[in-house]
Amino acid sequence: MAKRVTIHDVAALAGVSRQTVSRALNDMDDISSETKKRVLEASAKLGYRPSRFARNLVARQKTRALGFVVASFRNPYYTEIAGDLLDCAASRGWQVVMASSESEGESAALRMLASQVDVFVGHFMSPETQLEKARGGIPMVVLEPPARMERTHSVELDLRSGIEEAIQALRAKGARSLGMIDSGYSLRSSPIYVPSQRRRDFEELTGPGRPKAVVVGEESITGGSRAFIELMRAHPHLDAVLVFNDLMAIGAVHGAHALGVKVPDQVRILGIDGLSLGEAVHPTLSTISLDRQALAARALDVVDALAAADFADVAPIRHVVRSRLLWRESA
């Protein structure tokens, strides 16, 4: 029996998204004549026949949608990013459909959203081969790391300059021995720990080739606390600690309390993220703060540019968002 031709086959041949195929076949007016012609030719070549249900569903759609995928809504960083993205998307007329990859993984989250959205936005950690297969030809905007796949664009975070500035400032404040707590997130999906880019930057900027005081912890308050205790017991001479993110850094402050270590008098603690939650811990958390509103705005700039091109293949779009030091009490 011959394989049934699907809308995804037409989208792949025409080089557009599934939603653009639907709009073209339903003669909607928010698509260029050139793209519509390309879709109709691909549909005719493959012999595609849309179902009556699909035609009725698309006819009811008035708003274009983006799918936002996060690792976990338990981490306040992702909830704050989601809030900024929702605000920005609403102001530009975009609907946002969100999913967490915590339970089923990123591939499952992408497959679940693929029939509902025009473009994906998010922090993605899976191998590119898995993401490519799961997204069904839908374009993707990757947050933080550079994009390397086709039909993939990026809004990168310039954390290296923030880490470099933080190291220099900590040394100017009198810190002489710096350590770091890295994330062990990859350990949940792979038996092989892969150092984060934040750790690699820290190690390079504190002097290549030198032994580093670094431990790996779970991305949680409890994980940060345990990692800080482990770090200080192994390296009691440390007087400053950079932590992978604010959630773990808050845990590090708790770990310092448990050890009787005074923050910042004996050890300065610095997180990365700029979470408002950092103001609720005592002492309040110093951090390398990310401009989340700028991150959301640049992501929507990419989405708008892709929509203007009817989600056809375009040259990779890349934006960079800088970080800034936010000094509170912990450092």
Side-chain angles (χ1 to χ4, degrees), residues 7-8 18-19 22 57-58 61 65 97 109-118 120 134-136 138:
I7 193 171
H8 296 287
R18 183 198 65 80
Q19 285 75 12
S22 296
L57 179 63
V58 173
Q61 291 180 341
V97 185
L110 291 173
R111 285 192 293 268
M112 181 182 71
L113 296 182
S115 63
Q116 307 173 54
V117 302
D118 299 281
F120 288 117
R135 66 175 173 167
I138 296 175

Side-chain angles (χ1 to χ4, degrees), residues 69-290:
V69 180
V70 301
S72 171
F73 287 110
R74 300 176 192 274
N75 187 332
Y77 169 76
Y78 294 116
T79 57
E80 291 195 14
I81 282 285
D84 292 323
L85 190 74
L86 285 168
D87 289 342
C88 190
S91 69
R92 304 191 189 194
W94 281 87
Q95 177 185 356
V96 179
V97 185
M98 293 187 288
S100 167
S101 60
E102 184 173 28
S103 58
E104 300 296 330
E106 287 177 346
S107 294
L110 291 173
R111 285 192 293 268
M112 181 182 71
L113 296 182
S115 63
Q116 307 173 54
V117 302
D118 299 281
V119 59
F120 288 117
V121 177
H123 292 265
F124 299 99
M125 303 178 188
S126 299
E128 292 184 355
T129 52
Q130 294 181 16
L131 297 177
E132 185 66 41
K133 184 177 181 180
R135 66 175 173 167
I138 296 175
M140 179 178 287
V141 182
V142 177
L143 304 181
E144 190 164 345
R148 291 179 292 271
M149 296 180 291
E150 294 183 1
R151 293 176 62 78
T152 306
H153 313 273
S154 60
V155 180
E156 301 166 27
L157 300 176
D158 179 18
L159 286 176
R160 184 182 177 90
S161 63
I163 292 172
E164 182 174 23
E165 185 181 358
I167 291 171
Q168 293 173 352
L170 288 169
R171 285 174 171 164
K173 289 174 177 286
R176 293 294 175 264
S177 184
L178 281 65
M180 184 182 178
I181 298 174
D182 194 23
S183 166
Y185 181 88
S186 60
L187 294 173
R188 283 188 270 174
S189 57
S190 169
I192 302 175
Y193 161 68
V194 179
S196 70
Q197 183 60 50
R198 302 176 188 190
R199 173 177 178 170
R200 292 196 291 269
D201 289 339
F202 170 80
E203 292 183 332
E204 291 173 6
L205 292 167
T206 50
R210 300 178 184 175
K212 306 300 178 184
V214 179
V215 299
V216 179
E218 179 187 336
E219 278 191 43
S220 66
I221 291 177
T222 300
S225 178
R226 290 172 177 168
F228 181 85
I229 293 172
E230 177 186 349
L231 180 66
M232 294 306 297
R233 285 176 174 168
H235 307 277
H237 59 284
L238 294 179
D239 54 15
V241 176
L242 176 68
V243 189
F244 176 83
N245 64 21
D246 281 359
L247 195 67
M248 298 175 71
I250 291 171
V253 172
H254 290 180
H257 292 334
L259 288 176
V261 173
K262 295 181 180 180
V263 179
D265 296 343
Q266 293 174 268
V267 177
R268 301 177 188 272
I269 295 177
L270 186 72
I272 300 175
D273 278 345
L275 296 182
S276 56
L277 184 63
E279 296 178 314
V281 66
H282 178 72
T284 55
L285 184 68
S286 296
T287 181
I288 301 173
S289 179
L290 309 177

